[in-house]
């Protein structure tokens, strides 16, 4: 295998079919087919619909990724599948049915092409997206990583991308992205809620309403210092609106949106920077689709600068779920000498972040 392996990654953990191709740290293609519009009528992701959408999107997405990768490699047409060095796939965490589609496709490709297969962790993939930002330079260790998406809110201590990722804390109920969706629904805004809340909040006052900051009291610090909870915040918003409506007063949508967003951002940034201070790590990596939220990036950058912490944010196109980050993680595993996975793995909806790669072959087995 070449020093910089050519890897195709498959990501199907939720509602986006992501196919990415990388060579080492170089991004060659990043194709994403989203089924978001199909879920919008229900106000959230429906697992069965997501799985069926992956089935329909996988083949054309792979073809599109191969076509896109041909040009940067200097090929006259699409990249031939036979030229790949390895296949990578998200094994978990995520929606079980959706993951099964990607895992099945990856195994079929690996077997039919006689290529090594790397089954990797979705959350660690979000960190690996950063290695594709070559302008930012290599990722330094250790670093604290805050991953915020529709299904996950996790705070991690990354001592090494391929061998040592520690979970410091995670959401105990609604993820931040879920909370945005639910509050948007309460405010009568369409799905997905994140961009809608962001737009509504632009003209609002973030200090208009003091909504609660979940798991931030002194009594929470011993057991839940780095955990997150947004369900209570969502309920507080709903109760506040109910009281306004019961009194016959208009609901100031912009102020509610801005105050809600500020509560979420405050908790995320405060806990992340607290982890940086506690572990003496002057680096913070932000990842996940909710990082597209303008206020979150703005506050994180400002408060990190005051604390002497450097913030890294991958390009926003690599923050949402995508196959390029999965290919990037596998590429890093390959270059660090890790053996490929066996075929004895399946979709694991609750895969812990400490399992960076699953079903790795024994060191003495043939690669």
């Amino acid at each position: 295998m070449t020093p910089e392996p050519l890897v195709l990654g498959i990501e199907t953990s939720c509602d986006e079919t992501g196919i990415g191709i990388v060579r080492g740290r170089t991004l060659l293609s990043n194709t994403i087919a989203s089924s978001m519009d199909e879920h919008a009528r229900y106000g959230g992701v429906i697992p069965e619909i997501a799985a069926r959408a992956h089935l329909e999107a996988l083949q054309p997405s792979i073809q599109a990724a191969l076509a896109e990768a041909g040009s940067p490699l200097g090929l006259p047409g699409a990249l031939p599948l036979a030229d790949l060095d390895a296949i990578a796939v998200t094994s978990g965490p995520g929606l079980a049915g959706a993951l099964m589609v990607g895992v099945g496709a990856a195994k079929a490709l690996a077997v039919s092409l006689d290529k090594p297969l790397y089954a990797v962790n979705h959350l660690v993939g979000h960190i690996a997206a950063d290695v594709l930002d070559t302008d930012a330079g290599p990722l330094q260790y250790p670093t604290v990583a805050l991953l915020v998406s529709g299904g996950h809110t996790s705070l991690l201590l990354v001592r090494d991308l391929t061998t040592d990722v520690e979970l410091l804390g995670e959401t105990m109920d609604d993820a931040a992205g879920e909370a945005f969706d639910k509050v948007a629904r309460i405010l009568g805004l369409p799905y997905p809620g994140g961009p809608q809340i962001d737009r509504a909040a632009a003209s609002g006052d973030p200090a208009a309403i003091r909504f609660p900051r979940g798991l931030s009291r002194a009594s929470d610090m011993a057991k839940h210092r780095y955990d997150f909870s947004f369900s209570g915040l969502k309920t507080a918003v709903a109760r506040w609106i109910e009281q306004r409506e019961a009194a016959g007063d208009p609901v100031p949508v912009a102020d509610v949106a801005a105050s809600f967003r500020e509560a979420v951002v405050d908790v995320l940034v405060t806990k992340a920077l607290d982890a940086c201070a506690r572990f003496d790590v002057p680096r913070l990596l932000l990842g996940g689709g909710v990082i597209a939220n303008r206020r979150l990036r703005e506050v994180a950058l400002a408060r990190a600068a005051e604390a002497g912490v450097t913030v890294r944010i991958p390009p926003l196109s690599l923050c949402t779920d995508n196959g390029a980050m999965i290919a990037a993680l596998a590429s890093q595993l390959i270059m660090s000498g890790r053996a490929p996975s066996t075929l004895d793995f399946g979709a694991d909806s609750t895969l812990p972040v400490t399992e960076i790669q699953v079903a790795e072959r024994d060191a003495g087995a043939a690669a």
Side-chain angles (χ1 to χ4, degrees):
M1 194 175 291
T2 62
E4 292 194 327
L6 188 60
V7 184
L8 181 145
I10 299 174
E11 155 61 31
T12 63
S13 66
C14 192
D15 63 335
E16 288 160 323
T17 307
I19 307 296
I21 300 175
V22 307
R23 167 162 276 167
R25 295 181 64 228
T26 303
L27 176 64
L28 301 176
S29 67
N30 183 28
T31 299
I32 300 174
S34 175
S35 58
M36 184 183 297
D37 290 345
E38 298 177 53
H39 304 285
R41 71 184 71 176
Y42 304 104
V45 176
I46 306 300
E48 293 81 2
I49 293 176
R52 185 167 63 247
H54 288 310
L55 280 170
E56 296 171 352
L58 259 175
Q59 185 172 354
S61 296
I62 291 173
Q63 295 301 323
L66 293 169
E68 184 181 352
S71 178
L73 289 171
L75 301 176
L79 169 68
L81 279 169
D83 287 0
L84 294 170
D85 292 313
I87 306 296
V89 66
T90 297
S91 176
L95 302 175
L99 289 166
M100 289 172 63
V101 176
V103 167
K107 288 183 178 181
L109 277 175
V111 170
S112 63
L113 298 170
D114 193 24
K115 301 291 182 181
L117 175 61
Y118 286 78
V120 301
N121 191 294
H122 170 82
L123 294 178
V124 185
H126 275 297
I127 304 169
D130 184 79
V131 308
L132 298 174
D133 186 5
T134 53
D135 292 338
L139 180 63
Q140 294 180 290
Y141 302 111
T143 189
V144 170
L146 175 64
L147 306 182
V148 193
S149 68
H152 306 282
T153 303
S154 306
L155 194 58
L156 314 173
L157 179 60
V158 185
R159 298 184 182 90
D160 185 278
L161 178 64
T162 61
T163 62
D164 191 351
V165 178
E166 178 184 350
L167 177 67
L168 300 179
E170 60 187 342
T171 183
M172 299 181 67
D173 40 58
D174 290 344
E178 289 178 282
F180 272 95
D181 290 337
K182 291 177 179 179
V183 169
R185 191 180 313 143
I186 293 169
L187 289 171
L189 302 174
Y191 176 87
Q196 300 295 333
I197 292 287
D198 222 17
R199 278 192 282 270
S203 59
D205 178 4
I209 310 158
R210 176 69 185 182
F211 286 127
R213 272 65 170 160
L215 297 181
S216 295
R217 296 175 301 182
S219 58
D220 297 319
M221 290 299 100
K223 189 175 181 180
H224 299 295
R225 183 168 182 172
Y226 298 123
D227 289 323
F228 302 92
S229 173
F230 297 108
S231 179
L233 170 60
K234 169 206 66 183
T235 302
V237 174
R239 295 292 175 266
W240 192 91
I241 292 174
E242 287 174 2
Q243 290 172 5
R244 292 282 296 194
E245 292 175 337
D249 297 325
V251 175
V253 172
D255 285 346
V256 172
S259 299
F260 161 75
R261 182 181 67 174
E262 199 69 9
V264 173
V265 168
D266 186 20
V267 170
L268 292 172
V269 175
T270 297
K271 287 181 178 267
L273 292 178
D274 179 60
C276 289
R278 182 182 183 187
F279 294 98
D280 194 24
V281 176
R283 290 170 290 274
L284 174 62
L285 171 67
L286 304 181
V290 178
I291 301 304
N293 185 282
R294 177 186 56 80
R295 182 62 178 165
L296 176 55
R297 299 196 309 274
E298 181 182 86
V299 171
L301 289 168
R303 290 177 56 180
E306 293 175 0
V309 173
T310 300
V311 176
R312 293 175 66 113
I313 305 175
L316 294 184
S317 61
L318 295 175
C319 285
T320 56
D321 294 349
N322 64 86
M325 69 186 195
I326 302 306
L329 177 53
S331 176
Q332 295 296 304
L333 290 166
I334 293 167
M335 291 190 289
S336 67
R338 295 281 287 272
S341 301
T342 68
L343 294 179
D344 299 329
F345 73 91
D348 186 345
S349 62
T350 59
L351 183 69
V353 72
T354 49
E355 291 192 43
I356 300 168
Q357 178 190 355
V358 300
E360 183 181 0
R361 293 180 186 173
D362 293 335

